Amino acid sequence: MKIYAEIYPSRSLETVKQDIKKLADFDGFNIPDNPLGYPTMPPELIGYMIREMFQHKEIILNQRLKDINELKLRSIITAARAINASIIFTQGDKPKFGREFNEIDSIDAMKLAIRRGVESGVILSFRKPVFEIKKRMDSGADIFLVVNFGDATILDNINTEKLVPYIIVRTEKNGGIVDRINQPSVRLQELHSFVDQLRNYKFRGYLFSVPGDTQILTNIHRYI
């Protein structure tokens, strides 16, 4: 079972480098693009930094589509291929600056990336009805990032091998940040029991996000 860490793309190269080094025990990294619609360093730049440090770890670029056009998408796919990274496509939050394009659908972006030789996938929300979840899983994606993770019984009726549950961890330090994300989270003291209920399923891996609390993320293995 692979364990992935989410790297927050801060505006400081030195901070990002330090975070990557601290998370060296993880199997791979997920890098969100402009989280919450605020400008940050692009995921492909941080992916390049990771690849320079670790030749064989997995890198997932979590690419928003709401405010890019097809030319930019193709450039991102080219960069992902160059650093041997995968891409998860999402529409993303409303941009805090500029305007929305909404030109590209996540399924279309995923299929384009796959045709160009880049492992690619989409978001899978467990808030959707089961028939919609299964339909999305038939889209041909290589990987699915599962959000709004709730009722685990859904997993009994689907193939879980391509799934990566996205687990946001709430700590004493990051409560305000987690509230702004507006997605389900797991309290640190409940994390072990939450993960334990999932151990019978064969996932590709788990992705842990602990925004604003790198110290806990660094030591997440002791809580699971």
Side-chain angles (χ1 to χ4, degrees), residues 60 86-88 119-122 141-145 162 164 204:
I60 301 172
S86 306
I87 311 178
I88 294 284
E119 183 183 60
S120 178
V122 292
D142 298 313
I143 181 174
F144 296 92
L145 188 61
K162 294 182 178 181
V164 177
R204 170 169 171 151

Side-chain angles (χ1 to χ4, degrees), residues 147-162:
V147 300
N148 302 316
F149 209 90
D151 184 7
T153 60
I154 296 175
L155 298 168
D156 295 332
N157 301 307
I158 60 177
N159 183 348
T160 61
E161 293 183 359
K162 294 182 178 181

Side-chain angles (χ1 to χ4, degrees), residues 6-47:
E6 183 165 82
I7 299 260
Y8 185 83
S10 73
R11 299 180 184 181
S12 165
L13 279 174
E14 191 57 39
T15 298
V16 173
K17 288 178 182 178
Q18 291 175 5
D19 287 346
I20 294 169
K21 291 177 181 177
K22 291 176 183 176
L23 300 168
D25 289 340
F26 284 79
D27 298 302
F29 304 94
N30 175 77
I31 313 154
D33 175 44
N34 295 330
L36 299 178
Y38 288 97
T40 58
M41 285 189 290
E44 56 267 36
L45 171 59
I46 298 174

Side-chain angles (χ1 to χ4, degrees), residues 29-95:
F29 304 94
N30 175 77
I31 313 154
D33 175 44
N34 295 330
L36 299 178
Y38 288 97
T40 58
M41 285 189 290
E44 56 267 36
L45 171 59
I46 298 174
Y48 174 77
M49 293 164 59
I50 293 171
R51 185 58 72 223
E52 286 288 283
M53 295 184 195
F54 306 111
Q55 291 300 306
H56 303 295
K57 290 187 183 292
E58 291 191 33
I59 299 171
I60 301 172
L61 310 181
N62 199 323
Q63 179 60 50
R64 55 186 283 127
L65 296 168
K66 189 177 289 291
D67 41 26
I68 67 171
N69 60 16
E70 184 177 342
L71 176 61
K72 181 62 177 178
L73 169 64
R74 288 176 177 270
S75 296
I76 292 166
I77 292 171
T78 299
R81 186 170 55 191
I83 62 174
N84 190 26
S86 306
I87 311 178
I88 294 284
F89 291 106
T90 177
Q91 287 304 306
D93 299 298
K94 182 179 178 64

Side-chain angles (χ1 to χ4, degrees), residues 1-5 23 25-29 195 204-208 217 220-221 224:
M1 180 63 63
K2 295 182 178 180
I3 306 296
Y4 304 94
L23 300 168
D25 289 340
F26 284 79
D27 298 302
F29 304 94
V195 173
R204 170 169 171 151
Y206 296 92
L207 169 58
F208 291 96
L217 179 58
I220 203 74
H221 296 80
I224 59 175

